[in-house]
Amino acid sequence: SSNALIALHVKGPCKLYLDGRLISQGDFPVEIDTIKASLAPGKHVISAEVKCVHPDQWLSLYLRTHGQNISTDRSWKVTKDPGAGWLSADYDDSSWNAAEPGGPFPYIRYFQFEPNAFVFAQFRKQLLGHSDGWKPGQTLFFRKTFEVK
């Protein structure tokens, strides 16, 4: 197995899942929520359910294992209606849109965050949203599958 660290930044209420298991819940616009995980070899999925409650809503995440670094970018998938089973690594997300990145940190007019010890945790990840926009009260569902060797 491989140890992993996940650095979550999100503006708005978020539920974060790893392989269908809830690993974090909250709103972390200033401080990073750091989550430790152990990953067996094979296919995995990291998923987030984020409700829009702010005018400049976003999700940003960085996952580091011994062999790879995964950041929020256009390779993530997003939808407004996930359907049953969306938390499974084997779920077919081919009908989902590519997530719309808002650019690398800091893309917004101002950004304040607490320092942390994770190299590239802020630098490589992008702020994600949806190409159709993100309306107040609307929940977006994000996911990214990856392989651990």
Side-chain angles (χ1 to χ4, degrees):
S1 75
S2 176
N3 290 325
L5 281 174
I6 302 163
L8 173 66
H9 256 137
V10 61
K11 188 167 185 186
C14 174
K15 292 180 183 175
L16 184 69
Y17 303 89
L18 180 62
D19 297 329
R21 185 174 51 89
L22 183 66
I23 59 171
S24 178
Q25 189 169 349
D27 186 353
F28 308 100
V30 177
E31 75 282 353
I32 287 179
D33 185 26
T34 306
I35 305 113
K36 298 177 198 172
S38 182
L39 300 169
K43 189 174 180 180
H44 297 275
V45 63
I46 188 145
S47 313
E49 178 181 338
V50 187
K51 185 172 183 179
C52 181
V53 295
H54 302 287
D56 57 349
Q57 190 79 28
W58 46 264
L59 166 71
S60 183
L61 183 141
Y62 180 74
L63 184 150
R64 174 179 284 172
T65 69
H66 289 294
Q68 61 189 331
N69 299 305
I70 297 168
S71 305
T72 44
D73 59 18
R74 192 175 296 283
S75 69
W76 283 62
K77 300 287 198 125
V78 63
T79 189
K80 297 173 184 175
D81 183 19
W86 75 281
L87 296 172
S88 167
D90 295 324
Y91 175 82
D92 179 11
D93 60 12
S94 60
S95 65
W96 290 32
N97 296 322
E100 189 65 33
F105 261 114
Y107 184 73
I108 50 184
R109 289 173 293 188
Y110 60 90
F111 189 72
Q112 174 187 353
F113 58 88
E114 292 181 354
N116 67 78
F118 303 103
V119 176
F120 299 126
Q122 275 101 245
F123 175 70
R124 290 209 173 140
K125 60 190 180 172
Q126 295 179 317
L127 306 174
L128 295 187
H130 194 286
S131 59
D132 292 341
W134 204 345
K135 297 170 185 62
Q138 184 179 59
T139 299
L140 291 184
F141 302 85
F142 298 87
R143 57 182 271 124
K144 167 82 175 173
T145 57
F146 61 98
E147 196 82 28
V148 172
K149 299 194 183 309

PDB file of all heavy atoms in Angstrom, residues 1-4 18-19 21 37-45 65 68 146-149:
ATOM      1  N   SER A   1       0.837  -1.190   0.000  1.00  0.00           N
ATOM      2  CA  SER A   1       0.000   0.000   0.000  1.00  0.00           C
ATOM      3  C   SER A   1       0.878   1.248   0.000  1.00  0.00           C
ATOM      4  O   SER A   1       2.057   1.206   0.309  1.00  0.00           O
ATOM      5  CB  SER A   1      -0.963  -0.010   1.181  1.00  0.00           C
ATOM      6  OG  SER A   1      -0.313   0.286   2.375  1.00  0.00           O
ATOM      7  N   SER A   2       0.277   2.363  -0.335  1.00  0.00           N
ATOM      8  CA  SER A   2       0.982   3.638  -0.411  1.00  0.00           C
ATOM      9  C   SER A   2       0.300   4.632   0.521  1.00  0.00           C
ATOM     10  O   SER A   2      -0.924   4.712   0.556  1.00  0.00           O
ATOM     11  CB  SER A   2       0.942   4.165  -1.847  1.00  0.00           C
ATOM     12  OG  SER A   2       1.528   5.435  -1.928  1.00  0.00           O
ATOM     13  N   ASN A   3       1.095   5.371   1.269  1.00  0.00           N
ATOM     14  CA  ASN A   3       0.542   6.441   2.093  1.00  0.00           C
ATOM     15  C   ASN A   3       0.265   7.644   1.203  1.00  0.00           C
ATOM     16  O   ASN A   3       0.970   7.886   0.225  1.00  0.00           O
ATOM     17  CB  ASN A   3       1.511   6.828   3.203  1.00  0.00           C
ATOM     18  CG  ASN A   3       1.627   5.747   4.245  1.00  0.00           C
ATOM     19  OD1 ASN A   3       0.652   5.067   4.544  1.00  0.00           O
ATOM     20  ND2 ASN A   3       2.812   5.561   4.785  1.00  0.00           N
ATOM     21  N   ALA A   4      -0.765   8.391   1.544  1.00  0.00           N
ATOM     22  CA  ALA A   4      -1.127   9.572   0.765  1.00  0.00           C
ATOM     23  C   ALA A   4      -1.506  10.713   1.699  1.00  0.00           C
ATOM     24  O   ALA A   4      -1.966  10.486   2.815  1.00  0.00           O
ATOM     25  CB  ALA A   4      -2.299   9.251  -0.158  1.00  0.00           C
ATOM     26  N   LEU A  18     -13.131   9.388  -0.505  1.00  0.00           N
ATOM     27  CA  LEU A  18     -12.075   8.601  -1.142  1.00  0.00           C
ATOM     28  C   LEU A  18     -12.591   7.177  -1.230  1.00  0.00           C
ATOM     29  O   LEU A  18     -12.908   6.570  -0.205  1.00  0.00           O
ATOM     30  CB  LEU A  18     -10.779   8.662  -0.325  1.00  0.00           C
ATOM     31  CG  LEU A  18      -9.601   7.878  -0.887  1.00  0.00           C
ATOM     32  CD1 LEU A  18      -9.185   8.403  -2.264  1.00  0.00           C
ATOM     33  CD2 LEU A  18      -8.418   7.942   0.075  1.00  0.00           C
ATOM     34  N   ASP A  19     -12.730   6.682  -2.453  1.00  0.00           N
ATOM     35  CA  ASP A  19     -13.272   5.342  -2.696  1.00  0.00           C
ATOM     36  C   ASP A  19     -14.624   5.133  -2.010  1.00  0.00           C
ATOM     37  O   ASP A  19     -14.891   4.081  -1.426  1.00  0.00           O
ATOM     38  CB  ASP A  19     -12.272   4.272  -2.267  1.00  0.00           C
ATOM     39  CG  ASP A  19     -10.990   4.337  -3.074  1.00  0.00           C
ATOM     40  OD1 ASP A  19     -11.047   4.726  -4.258  1.00  0.00           O
ATOM     41  OD2 ASP A  19      -9.926   3.995  -2.532  1.00  0.00           O
ATOM     42  N   ARG A  21     -15.805   6.521   0.658  1.00  0.00           N
ATOM     43  CA  ARG A  21     -15.804   6.720   2.109  1.00  0.00           C
ATOM     44  C   ARG A  21     -15.627   8.209   2.425  1.00  0.00           C
ATOM     45  O   ARG A  21     -14.710   8.847   1.911  1.00  0.00           O
ATOM     46  CB  ARG A  21     -14.659   5.916   2.729  1.00  0.00           C
ATOM     47  CG  ARG A  21     -14.612   5.928   4.246  1.00  0.00           C
ATOM     48  CD  ARG A  21     -13.532   4.994   4.773  1.00  0.00           C
ATOM     49  NE  ARG A  21     -12.231   5.203   4.171  1.00  0.00           N
ATOM     50  CZ  ARG A  21     -11.314   6.060   4.629  1.00  0.00           C
ATOM     51  NH1 ARG A  21     -11.545   6.790   5.688  1.00  0.00           N
ATOM     52  NH2 ARG A  21     -10.151   6.178   4.020  1.00  0.00           N
ATOM     53  N   ALA A  37      -4.233   9.231   4.218  1.00  0.00           N
ATOM     54  CA  ALA A  37      -4.916   8.059   3.687  1.00  0.00           C
ATOM     55  C   ALA A  37      -3.892   6.983   3.352  1.00  0.00           C
ATOM     56  O   ALA A  37      -2.724   7.276   3.123  1.00  0.00           O
ATOM     57  CB  ALA A  37      -5.713   8.427   2.443  1.00  0.00           C
ATOM     58  N   SER A  38      -4.343   5.752   3.317  1.00  0.00           N
ATOM     59  CA  SER A  38      -3.531   4.623   2.882  1.00  0.00           C
ATOM     60  C   SER A  38      -4.237   4.011   1.677  1.00  0.00           C
ATOM     61  O   SER A  38      -5.427   3.717   1.737  1.00  0.00           O
ATOM     62  CB  SER A  38      -3.403   3.604   4.013  1.00  0.00           C
ATOM     63  OG  SER A  38      -2.590   2.538   3.595  1.00  0.00           O
ATOM     64  N   LEU A  39      -3.498   3.857   0.584  1.00  0.00           N
ATOM     65  CA  LEU A  39      -4.088   3.390  -0.665  1.00  0.00           C
ATOM     66  C   LEU A  39      -3.437   2.086  -1.116  1.00  0.00           C
ATOM     67  O   LEU A  39      -2.228   2.034  -1.303  1.00  0.00           O
ATOM     68  CB  LEU A  39      -3.916   4.445  -1.759  1.00  0.00           C
ATOM     69  CG  LEU A  39      -4.554   5.797  -1.487  1.00  0.00           C
ATOM     70  CD1 LEU A  39      -4.098   6.827  -2.513  1.00  0.00           C
ATOM     71  CD2 LEU A  39      -6.064   5.661  -1.518  1.00  0.00           C
ATOM     72  N   ALA A  40      -4.244   1.061  -1.312  1.00  0.00           N
ATOM     73  CA  ALA A  40      -3.753  -0.209  -1.847  1.00  0.00           C
ATOM     74  C   ALA A  40      -3.510  -0.039  -3.346  1.00  0.00           C
ATOM     75  O   ALA A  40      -4.098   0.836  -3.980  1.00  0.00           O
ATOM     76  CB  ALA A  40      -4.790  -1.304  -1.600  1.00  0.00           C
ATOM     77  N   PRO A  41      -2.670  -0.875  -3.949  1.00  0.00           N
ATOM     78  CA  PRO A  41      -2.492  -0.813  -5.399  1.00  0.00           C
ATOM     79  C   PRO A  41      -3.835  -1.035  -6.104  1.00  0.00           C
ATOM     80  O   PRO A  41      -4.665  -1.813  -5.647  1.00  0.00           O
ATOM     81  CB  PRO A  41      -1.525  -1.963  -5.690  1.00  0.00           C
ATOM     82  CG  PRO A  41      -0.793  -2.176  -4.405  1.00  0.00           C
ATOM     83  CD  PRO A  41      -1.796  -1.870  -3.325  1.00  0.00           C
ATOM     84  N   GLY A  42      -4.043  -0.324  -7.209  1.00  0.00           N
ATOM     85  CA  GLY A  42      -5.274  -0.472  -7.974  1.00  0.00           C
ATOM     86  C   GLY A  42      -5.927   0.863  -8.274  1.00  0.00           C
ATOM     87  O   GLY A  42      -5.355   1.930  -8.048  1.00  0.00           O
ATOM     88  N   LYS A  43      -7.149   0.796  -8.773  1.00  0.00           N
ATOM     89  CA  LYS A  43      -7.912   1.974  -9.178  1.00  0.00           C
ATOM     90  C   LYS A  43      -8.611   2.597  -7.975  1.00  0.00           C
ATOM     91  O   LYS A  43      -9.167   1.887  -7.140  1.00  0.00           O
ATOM     92  CB  LYS A  43      -8.944   1.564 -10.231  1.00  0.00           C
ATOM     93  CG  LYS A  43      -9.661   2.708 -10.881  1.00  0.00           C
ATOM     94  CD  LYS A  43     -10.553   2.197 -12.005  1.00  0.00           C
ATOM     95  CE  LYS A  43     -11.282   3.323 -12.688  1.00  0.00           C
ATOM     96  NZ  LYS A  43     -12.144   2.836 -13.772  1.00  0.00           N
ATOM     97  N   HIS A  44      -8.570   3.927  -7.926  1.00  0.00           N
ATOM     98  CA  HIS A  44      -9.195   4.688  -6.834  1.00  0.00           C
ATOM     99  C   HIS A  44      -9.956   5.875  -7.414  1.00  0.00           C
ATOM    100  O   HIS A  44      -9.733   6.269  -8.556  1.00  0.00           O
ATOM    101  CB  HIS A  44      -8.138   5.195  -5.853  1.00  0.00           C
ATOM    102  CG  HIS A  44      -7.399   4.108  -5.165  1.00  0.00           C
ATOM    103  ND1 HIS A  44      -7.862   3.504  -4.023  1.00  0.00           N
ATOM    104  CD2 HIS A  44      -6.232   3.491  -5.477  1.00  0.00           C
ATOM    105  CE1 HIS A  44      -7.009   2.568  -3.646  1.00  0.00           C
ATOM    106  NE2 HIS A  44      -6.014   2.538  -4.518  1.00  0.00           N
ATOM    107  N   VAL A  45     -10.821   6.454  -6.595  1.00  0.00           N
ATOM    108  CA  VAL A  45     -11.538   7.660  -6.997  1.00  0.00           C
ATOM    109  C   VAL A  45     -11.607   8.613  -5.809  1.00  0.00           C
ATOM    110  O   VAL A  45     -11.843   8.204  -4.678  1.00  0.00           O
ATOM    111  CB  VAL A  45     -12.962   7.346  -7.531  1.00  0.00           C
ATOM    112  CG1 VAL A  45     -13.839   6.711  -6.459  1.00  0.00           C
ATOM    113  CG2 VAL A  45     -13.620   8.594  -8.093  1.00  0.00           C
ATOM    114  N   THR A  65       0.957  10.975  -3.349  1.00  0.00           N
ATOM    115  CA  THR A  65       1.344   9.630  -2.932  1.00  0.00           C
ATOM    116  C   THR A  65       2.847   9.521  -3.138  1.00  0.00           C
ATOM    117  O   THR A  65       3.485  10.455  -3.611  1.00  0.00           O
ATOM    118  CB  THR A  65       0.635   8.538  -3.762  1.00  0.00           C
ATOM    119  OG1 THR A  65       1.141   8.567  -5.090  1.00  0.00           O
ATOM    120  CG2 THR A  65      -0.874   8.721  -3.765  1.00  0.00           C
ATOM    121  N   GLN A  68       3.034   9.682  -7.153  1.00  0.00           N
ATOM    122  CA  GLN A  68       2.356  10.652  -8.016  1.00  0.00           C
ATOM    123  C   GLN A  68       1.777  11.816  -7.243  1.00  0.00           C
ATOM    124  O   GLN A  68       1.586  11.750  -6.042  1.00  0.00           O
ATOM    125  CB  GLN A  68       1.266   9.964  -8.824  1.00  0.00           C
ATOM    126  CG  GLN A  68       0.175   9.318  -8.004  1.00  0.00           C
ATOM    127  CD  GLN A  68      -0.753   8.483  -8.852  1.00  0.00           C
ATOM    128  OE1 GLN A  68      -0.943   8.751 -10.021  1.00  0.00           O
ATOM    129  NE2 GLN A  68      -1.338   7.461  -8.266  1.00  0.00           N
ATOM    130  N   PHE A 146      -7.857   7.522 -10.381  1.00  0.00           N
ATOM    131  CA  PHE A 146      -6.399   7.414 -10.519  1.00  0.00           C
ATOM    132  C   PHE A 146      -5.967   6.016 -10.129  1.00  0.00           C
ATOM    133  O   PHE A 146      -6.703   5.276  -9.491  1.00  0.00           O
ATOM    134  CB  PHE A 146      -5.679   8.485  -9.684  1.00  0.00           C
ATOM    135  CG  PHE A 146      -5.946   8.395  -8.197  1.00  0.00           C
ATOM    136  CD1 PHE A 146      -5.053   7.762  -7.360  1.00  0.00           C
ATOM    137  CD2 PHE A 146      -7.096   8.957  -7.656  1.00  0.00           C
ATOM    138  CE1 PHE A 146      -5.292   7.678  -5.990  1.00  0.00           C
ATOM    139  CE2 PHE A 146      -7.359   8.883  -6.293  1.00  0.00           C
ATOM    140  CZ  PHE A 146      -6.453   8.246  -5.463  1.00  0.00           C
ATOM    141  N   GLU A 147      -4.783   5.672 -10.522  1.00  0.00           N
ATOM    142  CA  GLU A 147      -4.238   4.336 -10.303  1.00  0.00           C
ATOM    143  C   GLU A 147      -3.041   4.420  -9.375  1.00  0.00           C
ATOM    144  O   GLU A 147      -2.201   5.291  -9.519  1.00  0.00           O
ATOM    145  CB  GLU A 147      -3.801   3.786 -11.674  1.00  0.00           C
ATOM    146  CG  GLU A 147      -3.563   2.310 -11.721  1.00  0.00           C
ATOM    147  CD  GLU A 147      -4.838   1.499 -11.885  1.00  0.00           C
ATOM    148  OE1 GLU A 147      -5.831   1.973 -12.471  1.00  0.00           O
ATOM    149  OE2 GLU A 147      -4.824   0.364 -11.391  1.00  0.00           O
ATOM    150  N   VAL A 148      -2.982   3.513  -8.394  1.00  0.00           N
ATOM    151  CA  VAL A 148      -1.801   3.378  -7.532  1.00  0.00           C
ATOM    152  C   VAL A 148      -1.124   2.082  -7.926  1.00  0.00           C
ATOM    153  O   VAL A 148      -1.764   1.038  -7.982  1.00  0.00           O
ATOM    154  CB  VAL A 148      -2.187   3.374  -6.035  1.00  0.00           C
ATOM    155  CG1 VAL A 148      -0.979   3.038  -5.169  1.00  0.00           C
ATOM    156  CG2 VAL A 148      -2.792   4.701  -5.620  1.00  0.00           C
ATOM    157  N   LYS A 149       0.156   2.163  -8.213  1.00  0.00           N
ATOM    158  CA  LYS A 149       0.905   0.968  -8.658  1.00  0.00           C
ATOM    159  C   LYS A 149       1.588   0.279  -7.505  1.00  0.00           C
ATOM    160  O   LYS A 149       1.849   0.808  -6.497  1.00  0.00           O
ATOM    161  CB  LYS A 149       1.923   1.374  -9.707  1.00  0.00           C
ATOM    162  CG  LYS A 149       1.219   1.973 -10.900  1.00  0.00           C
ATOM    163  CD  LYS A 149       2.152   2.053 -12.065  1.00  0.00           C
ATOM    164  CE  LYS A 149       1.591   2.677 -13.235  1.00  0.00           C
ATOM    165  NZ  LYS A 149       0.754   2.790 -14.046  1.00  0.00           N
TER     166      LYS A 149
END
